[in-house]
Amino acid sequence: MSLAAVSAPPRWKSAGLWVVRGLLALVFLAAGGVKLYGLPMMVQEFEHIGLGQWFRYFTGGLEVLGALLILTPSLAGLGALLLICIMIGATVTHLFVIGGSAVPALVLLALSAIVVYAKRIQIALLLKRL
């Protein structure tokens, strides 16, 4: 038996991780797209935050970038780290600035953390290269 066969994760774990990554990509592509498109609700929400509309474009761009990275096998861990940072910001913003429920942001943060945990070796190798 080869070492690769011993260290490879079970098939169901790999498939489950792809489902989580796909779900995160869909959610963040949609959320980022809505922000970049300028849906009136998003414009008002970012106006309430008080940092200006540039921050809406910045956040939307980061969400789309994170969605694309999480779908790229060699960069999925990096994409998940980016999405965690975005969701920490979203959680803090909901709790202290705009109100409303922070639960969706926390759920997305938890799903992104699952990807980071699964890709922790990949992330460590990427950091060593830097």
Side-chain angles (χ1 to χ4, degrees):
M1 187 184 309
S2 72
L3 183 59
V6 172
S7 64
R11 231 182 145 112
W12 66 270
K13 282 186 180 180
S14 182
L17 187 60
W18 267 106
V19 168
V20 170
R21 288 169 55 194
L23 177 65
L24 284 168
L26 285 173
V27 168
F28 281 101
L29 278 173
V34 164
K35 287 176 183 73
L36 292 173
Y37 179 73
L39 195 68
M41 183 180 84
M42 286 289 108
V43 172
Q44 290 172 354
E45 189 170 297
F46 278 82
E47 190 68 35
H48 184 72
I49 292 171
L51 292 176
Q53 293 304 308
W54 70 270
F55 191 62
R56 175 175 54 88
Y57 289 112
F58 180 71
T59 304
L62 287 178
E63 288 176 346
V64 169
L65 176 63
L68 296 174
L69 288 174
I70 209 162
L71 288 177
T72 308
S74 62
L75 299 172
L78 186 62
L81 280 174
L82 175 60
L83 297 178
I84 284 175
C85 293
I86 294 167
M87 288 301 96
I88 289 171
T91 301
V92 169
T93 302
H94 277 283
L95 291 175
F96 300 111
V97 180
I98 61 175
S101 177
V103 172
L106 290 170
V107 169
L108 293 171
L109 188 145
L111 290 173
S112 298
I114 290 169
V115 176
V116 166
Y117 181 76
K119 298 291 186 178
R120 63 191 180 278
I121 295 170
Q122 179 190 68
I123 294 168
L125 290 174
L126 281 172
L127 292 176
K128 277 186 180 181
R129 288 186 201 165
L130 298 175

